[in-house]
Each structure stands twice: as structure tokens, then as C-alpha cells.
């Protein structure tokens, strides 16, 4: 090919916008609310992807407004992907059912929302890996063979399924009781006690938010001299031996960015599993350990982000 034709072809490609580099990916952000943690997640997402954010919409924790914004995003912004940050934003896109692929972040228990059939949704959750939690329980005491949990099927049933698989890997029996009310949860604790569980594991569902259930779990822990694994620092401060929770909203945003790259590369969202938090905050309560007569291993203390003395 002559130099004349090479130059001519290059000029045509430039005019048509085919410069040989990848086309920019446009993203519209839907925020559940104007919250620093959500903004940090967006920053992490941008760090991981370098995608162009063409618009950011604040739904102000209003589901009706959120659904309207999703329609506006598709009609006016026309992005390649919608990034939904927070539980309300995920609820909005699930109910609005946009044609545009959606990646979420900063959501606890996403299957409790997406099970309605939103196959074009995946992302980065705030959940802690069930395997990682059970490994820490075994690290506290390798002789623990029976771990008890109570759960709401609609909220954390998917976690129990994952936990059963993880428990099998570790040679642990998971004794899980399905409940629908705080009263049933308290009764289920009595059943777990009769079955001789050697540790209690809080599931991230609505019953944990009940002070009555949390109090009964702590009382059972102390009476039976078994460790209670909580979900937040507040649980450890209240009396749980140890707690595990997500640490960094910015890193969850980065994880969402990794998921987004898979989607933009051509994978179907339904084929990309949502992620669990990889940066974990561990709190150990040595006051509780003394009451329980448990010596916390040095390896667990070394891994802890903070220790309550």
C-alpha cells in the first residue's frame, strides 16, 4: 500500500472516530443518598475503572424518585452502565428494570433485593465471607465442631446456603434455625442450647437489630461459656467475644469497578457473582473472653484491628 493510501486511511479513521484506542465507557451513578461512604465508593470505582461518569443522581432515599431517575438516566444520559450505590439505589433499579446493565455497591444481603428477577444486576456487597468467618471461629478454638445460627430465610437464607458449604469444607456442623419473628428467634436460641452448639454466629438480618434477641444471644454465650461472633463493633462493645465487619467503602467501590470491567468486557451480569468485602475490621473483646474463660490466640489478637480491654 502506498504512503498516499496509508495517510488517506488514517484520515478517514480519525474522521470516523476510530483512532485505534478503546471507546470511552460512560457510567451514570445513582446514589441512595448524599453520604460520605457512598462518595468514597464512587471514588474507589473510578480508581479501578477510569470510566467516564457522565452524571451523578441523588435519589435522597426516596424510592419513587429513584425509579424516576433510572428512567431519566436511560432516556437522557444513555450510559453504558449504571452504578447504583446503596440499598435504596439497588431497590430503585430492581423495581425500574432498566435495559442498561447495573453494578451495585455498598449493599448488605443483595439477594434479598435482587431475587425479584433482576438478572442484569451484580456488584460488590458489604457482606463478610462466610468461609472467612468460620475460619476465624475455628482459629479461636480448633475443637469447635458445632456452630449455631438463627436466620430469616428472606433476608439471609442465601448466606446459610453458603455457610453450609463452607462449614463442610472445614469439618464443622452448622446448626441453623429458621425464624420469622424476634419471639421465634429467642425460642430458637433455646433449641440451639439443647443441641449443644459450641459457638454462636450472628447473621446480618433484621432480628440482630432487635435488642431483645441480641441480649439473649449474649446471655446464652456467657451461660454456656461459648463464643459469640457479632457483626459490628457495637456488638463487641455490647458483649460479643469478637466481631467481623466490612472496613472500607472505597475498597468496596474498587471491587464494584472490577465487576464493572467484566460486564463491559462482555460478560452477562447474571454470570458474574457479587463480591464480599475483602477489607475486614475485626474487634476482639477481652472483657468477654475473661467472662467466658477463653484465651484468645495470639494469631487472632494480631489480626484484630482493635481490642477491647
Amino acid at each position: 500500500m502506498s504512503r498516499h493510501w496509508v495517510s488517506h486511511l488514517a484520515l478517514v479513521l480519525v474522521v470516523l472516530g476510530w483512532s485505534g484506542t478503546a471507546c470511552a465507557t460512560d457510567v451514570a451513578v445513582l446514589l441512595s443518598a448524599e453520604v460520605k461512604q457512598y462518595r468514597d465508593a464512587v471514588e474507589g470505582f473510578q480508581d479501578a475503572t477510569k470510566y467516564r461518569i457522565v452524571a451523578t443522581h441523588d435519589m435522597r432515599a426516596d424510592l419513587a424518585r429513584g425509579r424516576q431517575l433510572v428512567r431519566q438516566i436511560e432516556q437522557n444520559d444513555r450510559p453504558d452502565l449504571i452504578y447504583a450505590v446503596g440499598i435504596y439505589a439497588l431497590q430503585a433499579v430492581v423495581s425500574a428494570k432498566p435495559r442498561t446493565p447495573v453494578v451495585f455497591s455498598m449493599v448488605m444481603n443483595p439477594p434479598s433485593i435482587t431475587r425479584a428477577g433482576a438478572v442484569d444486576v451484580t456488584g460488590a456487597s458489604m457482606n463478610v465471607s462466610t468461609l472467612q468467618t468460620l475460619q476465624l471461629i475455628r482459629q479461636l478454638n480448633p475443637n469447635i465442631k458445632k456452630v449455631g445460627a438463627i436466620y430469616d430465610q428472606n433476608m439471609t437464607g442465601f448466606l446459610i446456603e453458603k455457610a453450609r458449604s463452607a462449614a463442610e469444607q472445614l469439618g464443622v456442623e452448622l446448626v441453623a434455625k429458621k425464624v420469622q419473628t424476634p419471639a421465634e428467634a429467642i425460642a430458637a436460641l433455646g433449641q440451639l442450647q439443647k443441641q449443644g452448639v459450641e459457638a454462636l454466629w450472628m447473621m446480618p438480618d433484621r432480628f440482630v437489630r432487635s435488642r431483645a434477641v441480641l441480649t439473649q444471644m449474649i446471655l446464652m454465650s456467657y451461660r454456656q461459656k461459648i463464643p459469640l461472633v457479632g457483626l459490628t463493633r457495637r456488638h463487641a462493645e455490647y458483649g460479643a467475644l469478637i466481631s467481623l465487619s466490612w472496613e472500607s467503602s472505597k475498597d468496596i467501590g474498587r471491587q464494584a469497578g472490577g465487576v464493572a470491567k467484566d460486564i463491559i468486557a462482555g460478560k452477562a451480569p447474571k454470570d458474574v457473582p457479587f463480591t464480599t468485602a475483602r477489607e475486614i475490621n475485626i474487634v476482639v473483646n477481652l472483657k468477654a473472653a475473661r467472662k467466658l474463660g477463653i484465651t484468645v490466640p495470639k494469631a487472632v489478637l494480631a489480626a484484630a484491628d482493635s481490642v477491647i480491654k
Side-chain angles (χ1 to χ4, degrees):
M1 184 181 293
S2 70
R3 291 183 180 181
H4 170 74
W5 279 107
V6 170
S7 299
H8 180 69
L9 178 60
L11 178 60
V12 169
L13 291 175
V14 169
V15 170
L16 293 176
W18 301 340
S19 61
T21 59
C23 294
T25 298
D26 290 344
V27 175
V29 176
L30 182 63
L31 295 176
S32 291
E34 187 59 59
V35 176
K36 181 182 184 303
Q37 290 176 331
Y38 294 163
R39 284 290 183 179
D40 288 345
V42 174
E43 184 180 342
F45 181 89
Q46 286 185 285
D47 286 348
T49 63
K50 310 303 181 187
Y51 292 159
R52 181 170 59 194
I53 293 181
V54 294
T56 299
H57 302 274
D58 178 7
M59 59 180 284
R60 303 172 191 166
D62 183 330
L63 187 55
R65 173 180 168 82
R67 286 193 291 263
Q68 182 179 2
L69 286 171
V70 172
R71 290 191 289 270
Q72 180 180 325
I73 285 170
E74 290 212 298
Q75 291 172 7
N76 301 335
D77 302 331
R78 298 184 180 182
D80 301 297
L81 182 136
I82 298 172
Y83 179 37
V85 187
I87 188 169
Y88 296 124
L90 180 56
Q91 288 173 335
V93 297
V94 167
S95 60
K97 300 187 184 304
R99 296 181 300 276
T100 307
V102 176
V103 168
F104 65 78
S105 74
M106 298 302 291
V107 176
M108 187 71 75
N109 304 331
S112 67
I113 301 168
T114 61
R115 65 174 180 268
V119 294
D120 286 333
V121 181
T122 187
S125 79
M126 298 160 64
N127 289 87
V128 175
S129 160
T130 56
L131 178 59
Q132 187 173 359
T133 303
L134 284 169
Q135 286 174 330
L136 184 61
I137 291 173
R138 289 298 302 277
Q139 201 172 3
L140 282 169
N141 182 352
N143 295 320
I144 290 176
K145 296 293 183 181
K146 190 179 290 189
V147 177
I150 54 176
Y151 71 102
D152 172 4
Q153 177 64 34
N154 290 331
M155 187 70 67
T156 52
F158 78 100
L159 271 183
I160 293 297
E161 292 179 14
K162 290 180 178 293
R164 291 193 194 282
S165 176
E168 186 175 351
Q169 292 181 47
L170 298 173
V172 174
E173 179 185 356
L174 178 67
V175 184
K177 301 294 182 182
K178 188 189 304 184
V179 297
Q180 294 183 323
T181 67
E184 287 184 8
I186 292 172
L189 289 174
Q191 296 170 18
L192 292 176
Q193 181 176 326
K194 289 178 181 178
Q195 290 182 257
V197 297
E198 299 157 307
L200 275 177
W201 178 11
M202 290 184 184
M203 290 289 111
D205 62 33
R206 54 184 173 169
F207 300 120
V208 172
R209 296 195 291 270
S210 163
R211 178 59 65 91
V213 175
L214 176 59
T215 298
Q216 289 301 314
M217 294 186 87
I218 291 171
L219 287 175
M220 179 177 166
S221 169
Y222 289 166
R223 287 169 182 163
Q224 301 302 118
K225 304 298 183 184
I226 61 175
L228 171 62
V229 180
L231 298 165
T232 66
R233 180 182 178 86
R234 182 179 68 85
H235 292 153
E237 292 172 341
Y238 198 59
L241 174 62
I242 196 166
S243 69
L244 290 84
S245 58
W246 63 275
E247 170 70 16
S248 168
S249 52
K250 188 171 183 178
D251 191 61
I252 290 175
R254 293 191 193 100
Q255 288 181 265
V259 172
K261 286 182 176 179
D262 286 340
I263 304 306
I264 295 300
K267 290 187 179 180
K270 64 184 178 63
D271 295 329
V272 182
F274 69 86
T275 65
T276 54
R278 59 190 174 194
E279 292 192 12
I280 305 301
N281 183 277
I282 299 175
V283 180
V284 175
N285 185 340
L286 290 182
K287 290 181 181 179
R290 288 191 290 271
K291 290 180 181 180
L292 296 170
I294 293 175
T295 299
V296 179
K298 292 181 179 178
V300 175
L301 289 173
D305 295 275
S306 59
V307 176
I308 299 171
K309 298 180 179 180

